[in-house]
Amino acid sequence: MKLAKFGGSSLASGEQIRKVFEIVKSDPLRKIVVVSAPGKRFESDIKVTDLLDAYYQDYKNKKNLVPIQTTLLDRFEEICDELELSELKQFLSEKVISLALLNLHNRFVYDKFLSTGEECSALIVSSYFKKNGLNAKFLSPKDAGILVSSDPCEAKLLPIAYNKIAGLVKYPEILIIPGFYGATLNGEVCTFSRGGSDITGAILAAGVKAEMYENFTDVDGIYSVNPNVVENPVIIEEVTYREMRELSFAGFSVLHEEALIPAARAGVPMLLKNTNHPELPGTQIVPNWTIDMPVVGIASSRGYVIIKITKYMLYRDISFGRRLFEILEKLGIRFEAITTGIDDMSILVKDKYLSAPIEEALSDDLKEILQVDDIVIVKNLAVVTAVSEEIRQQTHITGRATLALARKNIKIETLMQGASEVSLLFIVREEVENETVRSLYEEFFED
């Protein structure tokens, strides 16, 4: 059995849904289909989920709802007209209009608004499939067994859910299931974080022990580097779950990082393919690496700060780390990485956690509580991350990377190896971020 998840761009119009139909029809092993809400049809378009967010804001603020309701209904009616599903339009219209009757005091009301895009999308897809000869069945997340915690917009799957999810293999139909949300034990709709349809797909693939989790998007695969920085970069043929987690955390936005966990734990391989070019091989995400690559991908992200702390004989103060973490926790500062020496410690954080008042409070606490001798804060930094399972095995990769940057006179502020041992973090000034990425790409991907 295969599970196929289709993203918003794959369901943005009737034409796209026809492509989805042909993909599912072409392989009888595709027995579960997870769908997102309709996405953008063109660059300046608005995703249905964003329209639903605006709808909720207007409802909450007691604004005139007719304009936003009309916009939403036009989107769904256009898709239904393209697919000749006129009988579905009234039903979808009632679903959209009825949102304005929900009780705003219910803490799950926002989740209900946002989830309506996926629900309507699944109803459209299942209706079109059935009309065109496929034995398809709409199944709500609740009926599919996706039981989640009661955390609005941050739902987590309850462990007991897998027992019911496993029973989905018994259905003879092709199951069309909305992504992005589940049901609490009290029957409330509760969404995962944004982009959560990927999470739904991974959960279901793990629960039914699918032989493959296919994730269809609008790209041919996962690029080895940001194509806005390097022209026509190579597409990664194979990447491990560990590598993909590192790349997602470091800046790759192809997949929701939480979506990798259920599939990885269950050992289900994932295949990313393009709905518009399903004949292309795509990128496979696997539990264990089979292809030797010194670097599989290079990610980058800016907006970092390094807090450099100096205290004479710091390494002898056994409680220093605990007290430092307490200070960071109190001030709401999440750290990305830490390096230490005999008298020094450097902490890498996102600058969004270090507003002027927080920076002043941090400095005061470090001096008063930890009695540090000096504090230096270096701002406007970027982190460029090279990822590969090979980094744990080969000693030459770090040398090649640093030499490549030295040839371009790129100064490395700090070099770190990720705790997973499959990533190298080059902290550089923001103004040389893209040049750093290009230099590493040339070293590892160009002959």
Side-chain angles (χ1 to χ4, degrees):
M1 172 187 286
K2 294 181 181 178
L3 183 144
K5 179 264 174 180
F6 292 90
S9 61
S10 302
L11 302 154
S13 66
E15 179 186 359
Q16 290 299 97
I17 290 174
R18 289 191 188 96
K19 294 177 184 178
V20 170
F21 172 80
E22 293 299 331
I23 289 170
V24 175
K25 181 183 176 182
S26 68
D27 190 343
L29 291 177
R30 293 182 176 121
K31 297 292 291 181
I32 299 178
V33 176
V34 174
V35 300
S36 299
K40 291 185 177 183
R41 296 159 293 183
F42 42 86
E43 183 60 34
S44 60
D45 200 11
I46 303 174
K47 297 177 181 179
V48 164
T49 304
D50 290 330
L51 291 174
L52 288 163
D53 176 69
Y55 184 12
Y56 168 78
Q57 299 301 332
D58 286 353
Y59 179 48
K60 185 177 69 170
N61 295 311
K62 297 181 172 57
K63 293 185 178 180
N64 178 12
L65 300 179
V66 173
I68 189 65
Q69 288 175 336
T70 301
T71 301
L72 276 162
L73 293 176
D74 285 348
R75 281 297 303 270
F76 289 126
E77 286 185 9
E78 179 182 312
I79 295 173
C80 288
D81 287 340
E82 285 184 74
L83 300 176
E84 299 179 355
L85 297 174
S86 58
E87 70 282 359
L88 194 59
K89 290 195 289 186
Q90 182 60 34
F91 184 68
L92 297 181
S93 175
E94 291 172 359
K95 277 197 167 294
V96 171
I97 298 299
S98 67
L99 291 172
L101 301 176
L102 294 174
N103 183 356
L104 281 171
H105 296 294
N106 184 325
R107 66 194 189 101
F108 298 99
V109 65
Y110 183 53
D111 299 63
K112 180 62 177 174
F113 268 82
L114 293 187
S115 66
T116 301
E118 276 72 15
E119 183 182 14
C120 291
S121 187
L123 288 165
I124 291 171
V125 170
S126 60
S127 297
Y128 182 72
F129 278 23
K130 284 186 283 189
K131 185 171 183 175
N132 289 274
L134 284 183
N135 184 20
K137 177 182 178 65
F138 169 87
L139 200 65
S140 72
K142 179 180 179 180
D143 291 336
I146 305 176
L147 299 175
V148 298
S149 62
S150 298
D151 301 305
C153 298
E154 292 289 343
K156 304 296 179 187
L157 189 75
L158 299 178
I160 60 172
Y162 279 118
N163 290 332
K164 186 168 183 180
I165 291 172
L168 298 180
V169 298
K170 298 176 182 178
Y171 281 86
E173 302 96 341
I174 297 171
L175 301 179
I176 314 298
I177 302 174
F180 184 38
Y181 68 99
T184 69
L185 292 175
N186 292 326
E188 299 280 3
V189 166
C190 192
T191 63
F192 300 111
S193 54
R194 282 295 293 266
S197 289
D198 285 340
I199 301 174
T200 302
I203 286 169
L204 293 174
V208 300
K209 295 181 172 56
E211 66 180 73
M212 180 68 71
Y213 169 23
E214 298 176 313
N215 194 306
F216 286 88
T217 66
D218 57 358
V219 294
D220 294 337
I222 301 172
Y223 291 109
S224 54
V225 70
N226 187 342
N228 294 319
V229 177
V230 174
E231 187 176 357
N232 298 319
V234 300
I235 288 177
I236 301 171
E237 179 182 344
E238 178 186 281
V239 59
T240 67
Y241 276 109
R242 188 200 303 262
E243 291 168 336
M244 195 65 235
R245 282 273 292 166
E246 291 285 342
L247 288 169
S248 295
F249 183 72
F252 275 33
S253 58
V254 178
L255 275 173
H256 196 299
E257 62 183 49
E258 287 184 44
L260 297 167
I261 300 171
R265 286 176 176 169
V268 177
M270 184 185 300
L271 182 62
L272 270 75
K273 291 176 72 71
N274 191 337
T275 302
N276 302 310
H277 302 288
E279 72 282 358
L280 297 178
T283 297
Q284 185 157 297
I285 307 175
V286 296
N288 300 300
W289 59 301
T290 63
I291 299 176
D292 293 339
M293 288 285 292
V295 171
V296 298
I298 301 165
S300 69
S301 180
R302 59 177 52 196
Y304 285 92
V305 170
I306 287 182
I307 304 164
K308 296 184 177 181
I309 301 169
T310 300
K311 181 179 181 181
Y312 178 64
M313 302 300 283
L314 178 152
Y315 82 103
R316 286 189 177 179
D317 187 346
I318 196 169
S319 68
F320 188 90
R322 174 183 56 77
R323 290 182 289 146
L324 171 64
F325 292 157
E326 287 174 349
I327 292 171
L328 297 178
E329 181 182 7
K330 181 186 74 172
L331 297 175
I333 301 172
R334 190 182 78 182
F335 66 90
E336 304 284 329
I338 291 180
T339 59
T340 62
I342 186 172
D343 298 322
D344 304 279
M345 179 176 287
S346 292
I347 309 162
L348 180 70
V349 303
K350 278 281 193 180
D351 61 8
K352 65 181 180 181
Y353 297 115
L354 213 63
S355 62
I358 294 295
E359 182 179 330
E360 183 178 354
L362 174 65
S363 179
D364 291 343
D365 283 352
L366 291 176
K367 291 174 181 176
E368 180 180 343
I369 299 172
L370 296 182
Q371 300 293 304
V372 301
D373 296 313
D374 191 27
I375 305 164
V376 175
I377 297 179
V378 184
K379 301 183 177 181
N380 302 315
L381 298 176
V383 177
V384 178
T385 306
V387 175
S388 174
E389 295 276 0
E390 283 271 290
I391 290 171
R392 293 192 297 170
Q393 312 292 331
Q394 304 292 337
T395 58
H396 69 280
I397 296 174
T398 303
R400 285 180 60 185
T402 53
L403 183 59
L405 299 183
R407 285 196 293 264
K408 298 292 180 67
N409 294 316
I410 296 173
K411 181 178 182 294
I412 303 170
E413 299 293 325
T414 304
L415 173 61
M416 301 178 180
Q417 183 171 12
S420 66
E421 300 182 347
V422 301
S423 62
L424 291 173
L425 283 64
F426 300 88
I427 292 87
V428 297
R429 295 284 181 176
E430 286 183 347
E431 59 264 28
V432 296
E433 174 192 359
N434 288 348
E435 187 180 358
T436 303
V437 171
R438 284 191 287 267
S439 298
L440 293 175
Y441 182 84
E442 290 171 7
E443 175 65 28
F444 293 105
F445 290 96
E446 294 183 355
D447 295 330

